[in-house]
């Protein structure tokens, strides 16, 4: 039977949500957002494993592990590593599990250095610009895959 587990991977500085530039990222904490994702996942018939790290290698390992464990999908907000990490790009390409790139803000409408996404170039698709709702929209998309 296909796995009913969706992995949610949050990258650097997302542990600061709630107090970090709230005019851009909102006032919900990461725990608030993870709770909303988990509750909606149950309604959709999935369970969620959510993790956050400030370290690029952790994110690479967790993407690999999602693939190895046969997870249904990965929701990945790689934070600033989105714009720099060839290693994450390669990890996403290296697994069969679909990875959906997620951002709270819309990087395309921000500084030019955020316009390039190594994650997006390897991902199944991207949801960005809807605040915390980006994760919920990505979850709906993941559940339909
Ligand atoms: C972000 C966008 C990135 O450019 C930024 O570095 C972040 C957060 C977002 O969710 O909007 O850390 O991934």
């Amino acid at each position: 039977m296909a796995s009913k587990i969706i992995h949610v991977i949050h990258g650097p500085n997302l542990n600061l949500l709630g107090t970090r530039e709230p005019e851009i990222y909102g006032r919900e904490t990461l725990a608030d957002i993870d709770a909303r994702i988990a509750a909606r996942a149950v309604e959709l018939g999935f369970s969620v494993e959510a993790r956050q790290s400030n370290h690029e290698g952790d994110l690479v390992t967790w993407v690999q592990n999602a693939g190895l464990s046969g997870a249904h999908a990965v929701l990945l907000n790689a934070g600033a590593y989105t714009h720099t990490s060839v290693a994450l790009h390669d990890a996403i390409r290296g697994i069969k599990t679909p990875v959906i790139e997620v951002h709270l803000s819309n990087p395309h409408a921000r500084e030019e250095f955020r316009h390039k996404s190594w994650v997006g170039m390897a991902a199944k698709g991207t949801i960005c610009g809807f605040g915390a709702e980006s994760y919920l929209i990505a979850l709906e998309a993941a559940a339909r895959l």
Side-chain angles (χ1 to χ4, degrees):
M1 202 185 86
S3 165
K4 300 293 270 182
I5 301 177
I6 293 175
H7 290 222
V8 181
I9 301 176
H10 308 283
N13 299 307
L14 294 167
N15 54 313
L16 299 179
L17 284 179
T19 55
R20 173 195 183 199
E21 298 186 275
E23 64 287 358
I24 296 175
Y25 299 117
R27 296 201 179 272
E28 279 181 271
T29 66
L30 194 60
D32 294 335
I33 293 170
D34 280 343
R36 289 177 65 198
I37 296 169
R40 182 64 185 133
V42 168
E43 291 171 0
L44 293 167
F46 289 86
S47 66
V48 162
E49 287 184 18
R51 298 178 177 82
Q52 187 276 333
S53 177
N54 293 324
H55 302 280
E56 184 177 10
D58 288 343
L59 306 181
V60 169
T61 298
W62 293 342
V63 167
Q64 290 182 5
N65 288 347
L68 289 170
S69 70
H72 178 80
V74 177
L75 312 186
L76 173 61
N77 183 349
Y81 290 134
T82 302
H83 317 298
T84 62
S85 181
V86 178
L88 267 176
H89 175 96
D90 287 347
I92 295 163
R93 289 180 61 105
I95 64 170
K96 291 201 172 68
T97 299
V99 175
I100 301 179
E101 178 187 26
V102 178
H103 300 285
L104 297 136
S105 67
N106 177 359
H108 308 289
R110 300 179 62 193
E111 304 95 322
E112 194 163 350
F113 66 84
R114 298 184 202 276
H115 294 181
K116 180 161 192 154
S117 173
W118 291 99
V119 168
M121 283 188 277
K124 175 86 178 162
T126 300
I127 309 286
C128 67
F130 299 95
E133 296 300 323
S134 291
Y135 288 98
L136 281 306
I137 297 165
L139 179 67
E140 303 280 340
R144 290 173 196 211
L145 290 173

